[in-house]
Amino acid sequence: MRSVERTVIVGGGQAGRRTAEILRSLDADREIVIVSAENEWPYDRPPLSKEVLFGDDHPKGLVQRDAAFFVSQRIDVRLGRRCTRIDVGRSRVDLDDGDALSYGSLVIATGARPRALPLPVQDTRIVTLRTLAEARNLRAQLRSGARLAILGAGLIGLEVAAAAVKQGCVVRVIESSHRILARCMPACIGSRIHAWHRDAGVEFLLGRELRVVTPQPDCLKIVTDRDELEVDCLLVAIGAVPNDEIARDAGIDAEHGILVDASGRTSAPHVFAAGEVARIRETRKLCKRQETWQFAQYQPAAVAHALVGGERPFAEIPWYWTDQYQNNVQVFGEPDEGLVWLERLENGRVSALGLDDDGRVRAAALVNNGREATPVRRLIAGNGRFTHSQLLDLSIPLKRLSAESADVV
C-alpha cells in the first residue's frame, strides 16, 4: 500500500492558503496541514487598509475560503498555533502546544511583520497595521476630530491617511524622504497622489527625522528634528521585516527573506518557502523580496507544482495597486531610479512609462486606466525599443506598440 505524504504549511495567510488549495487540486490524496498563528481563517490583507477601516468587517475579497472549504478539501487547519522549531534532519516541526508534526515536505509561509518603531517606547496608542485584529483596533481610533500621525509615506501609510481624513481625523504624515512613495512609485505619479492628499487636508512633514515619542495621559508627544506634535494615535508604517528567523535557526539560507529558486525551493531538502517571506535567488543577483498581493497569490502555484514533481517557475512581472480617494493606481515592473518616465494623458487617465537607456519600457504606472494593464505588461515583457515621440503619440494605441514589442527578438 502506497504511503500518503504529509505536507506541512507553516503560516495561515494568503500564501499558505493558496499553496494548500493548489496542492490539493494537484494531489487528491496528500495529507495537508496548515499551522496558523492567527485565530482567524486565512484571509487576504488588501482590504485591511481600505474597507475594514471604514467599518466593513466582512468586505468582498477578505476571506476567500471559509471553514467549510477546508473541511471539504481535507485540509487540516490548526488556528492559534505557532511553529517554534524546524528540525530539518528529522523532517519535523515543533509547535507551541507541545505537539510535533513530521513532514514529507514543508512550506514556510510565515509572511512578514511591520517594522517596529525605532525608539525604546511602547504604548497602546502606538499601532501597526498587518492583521485583521490590528485593523479593527486602528479603526476604533479613527473618530472624527482624532489627531493621527503616520510614520511613513508608503502605500499602507497613505491608504490609512486617505481613510482617516475622510472620517474627519486630523492627519499628519511624517516621512524621512523628501517625497512620498519614494521606494515604490515614480516621482511623476507620487506628485499626483501627494496633491490628492493635500487637497483632502492631509499635512506632510517630509525630510523629517523622528527623535522622540513620549506618552502622556491625554496624548502622545512627538518630536522630530524640526517639529513638536501632540497626537492621539501614531501609526508606524515604515515597511516590513520577513519572518525568516525560524528558517535561519534551522540552518536554511536566508538574507532579508528565505532564499529560494523560482519554484520556491530553499537550501534544505524538501523545504520550500512561499509568499512574502521568500526571496527568489537568481544566478547573478538576488531579486527584491516582493511584498505584494500578486506574489502571495501566484508564487504559491510554483511551489505547489514543485511539490508534486512538476515545474512551473514563477516569472510574473511585479504588479501592485493602491486605491485612494476614488482613484486607482497600478504599478508594473520595478520603478527604479535610473528610468526616464513619460506620461500619456487621455481624458483624465494617465499611463506613465519608465524607459531604460536603450528605449525599452521596463516599468509602468497607470492612474484610473486599468484598461491599459495588458498592453503595458506586454511592453515590459517585450524587447522593443521606442523613441519618446512614439510613446507620447496618443494616436498610436499602447496595444499596437505592445504588439510591435512582442515581435522583437
Side-chain angles (χ1 to χ4, degrees):
M1 182 177 179
R2 184 173 69 91
S3 61
V4 175
E5 180 176 340
R6 172 191 286 167
T7 294
V8 174
I9 300 170
V10 178
Q14 180 185 356
R17 184 261 301 173
R18 284 285 291 165
T19 302
E21 65 183 20
I22 298 170
L23 182 57
R24 172 57 74 226
S25 72
L26 298 172
D27 187 336
D29 299 322
R30 181 182 303 243
E31 183 180 354
I32 303 174
V33 182
I34 297 177
V35 178
S36 176
E38 291 194 58
N39 289 309
E40 306 281 350
W41 290 97
Y43 58 87
D44 290 4
R45 301 190 189 278
L48 300 185
S49 56
K50 304 175 183 72
E51 294 92 339
V52 173
L53 293 185
F54 284 102
D56 188 349
D57 260 345
H58 304 285
K60 180 181 179 181
L62 181 67
V63 178
Q64 301 289 341
R65 305 294 189 186
D66 59 14
F69 168 82
F70 293 102
V71 172
S72 69
Q73 295 297 305
R74 294 173 290 108
I75 298 172
D76 179 7
V77 182
R78 304 193 183 187
L79 299 177
R81 292 288 178 267
R82 291 184 180 274
C83 176
T84 58
R85 179 172 177 265
I86 299 171
D87 188 332
V88 172
R90 300 171 65 184
S91 298
R92 191 183 80 173
V93 296
D94 297 335
L95 307 186
D96 59 356
D97 62 355
D99 197 4
L101 294 172
S102 60
Y103 64 80
S105 53
L106 173 68
V107 180
I108 305 171
T110 45
R113 62 187 180 276
R115 193 178 300 279
L117 182 71
L119 294 172
V121 58
Q122 292 185 333
D123 190 273
T124 57
R125 294 165 292 183
I126 301 173
V127 301
T128 55
L129 179 56
R130 174 72 185 181
T131 68
L132 183 56
E134 289 175 334
R136 289 168 174 162
N137 175 53
L138 176 59
R139 182 179 66 199
Q141 314 284 336
L142 303 185
R143 61 190 183 279
S144 181
R147 299 165 297 176
L148 173 67
I150 299 172
L151 181 62
L155 291 177
I156 295 297
L158 295 187
E159 287 182 355
V160 172
V165 77
K166 288 181 72 173
Q167 295 180 73
C169 297
V170 178
V171 182
R172 295 185 178 97
V173 178
I174 304 168
E175 168 60 45
S176 60
S177 175
H178 290 278
R179 74 173 180 91
I180 69 171
L181 301 167
R183 288 172 290 278
C184 64
M185 199 78 65
C188 58
I189 302 300
S191 64
R192 292 177 180 276
I193 297 174
H194 191 150
W196 301 340
H197 284 275
R198 182 191 61 228
D199 293 345
V202 175
E203 180 182 357
F204 286 96
L205 306 176
L206 301 179
R208 303 301 206 270
E209 180 183 341
L210 183 66
R211 294 283 176 80
V212 180
V213 177
T214 305
Q216 300 289 332
D218 59 343
C219 69
L220 294 169
K221 287 193 173 181
I222 297 175
V223 178
T224 75
D225 54 343
R226 293 161 58 185
D227 318 278
E228 293 187 8
L229 313 173
E230 292 187 355
V231 302
D232 300 303
C233 180
L234 170 63
L235 171 70
V236 181
I238 51 176
V241 179
N243 294 320
D244 61 7
E245 292 85 356
I246 197 167
R248 291 174 183 271
D249 292 344
I252 298 169
D253 290 350
E255 184 180 345
H256 305 297
I258 301 172
L259 300 182
V260 300
D261 67 11
S263 293
R265 297 181 185 86
T266 73
S267 62
H270 313 298
V271 179
F272 298 74
E276 286 179 276
V277 75
R279 188 180 182 196
I280 297 177
R281 172 167 40 192
E282 293 186 342
T283 304
R284 296 184 180 179
K285 65 177 182 177
L286 288 171
C287 290
K288 293 180 180 178
R289 191 173 56 82
Q290 296 188 38
E291 300 173 3
T292 65
W293 176 92
Q294 176 209 34
F295 195 73
Q297 184 76 1
Y298 297 115
Q299 185 262 354
V303 173
H305 280 84
L307 284 166
V308 298
E311 287 295 328
R312 187 177 291 185
F314 179 80
E316 298 274 343
I317 292 169
W319 166 64
Y320 48 91
W321 80 92
T322 182
D323 296 314
Q324 300 176 36
Y325 305 110
Q326 310 303 314
N327 295 295
N328 171 260
V329 181
Q330 300 184 53
V331 178
F332 303 84
E334 297 184 8
D336 297 327
E337 288 290 335
L339 299 178
V340 175
W341 287 87
L342 307 176
E343 287 187 289
R344 293 167 58 102
L345 310 178
E346 290 184 89
N347 301 319
R349 299 187 297 271
V350 181
S351 299
L353 306 174
L355 279 69
D356 65 14
D357 293 339
D358 294 324
R360 295 184 177 92
V361 178
R362 296 305 189 195
L366 305 176
V367 180
N368 299 323
N369 203 14
R371 67 182 185 180
E372 299 287 18
T374 297
V376 298
R377 277 195 177 100
R378 290 175 175 168
L379 278 170
I380 295 168
N383 203 35
R385 299 183 183 188
F386 300 96
T387 64
H388 289 196
S389 59
Q390 283 178 296
L391 293 173
L392 291 173
D393 186 347
L394 298 184
S395 69
I396 307 175
L398 288 180
K399 183 177 180 180
R400 185 197 308 172
L401 294 174
S402 67
E404 293 174 4
S405 182
D407 290 337
V408 177
V409 178

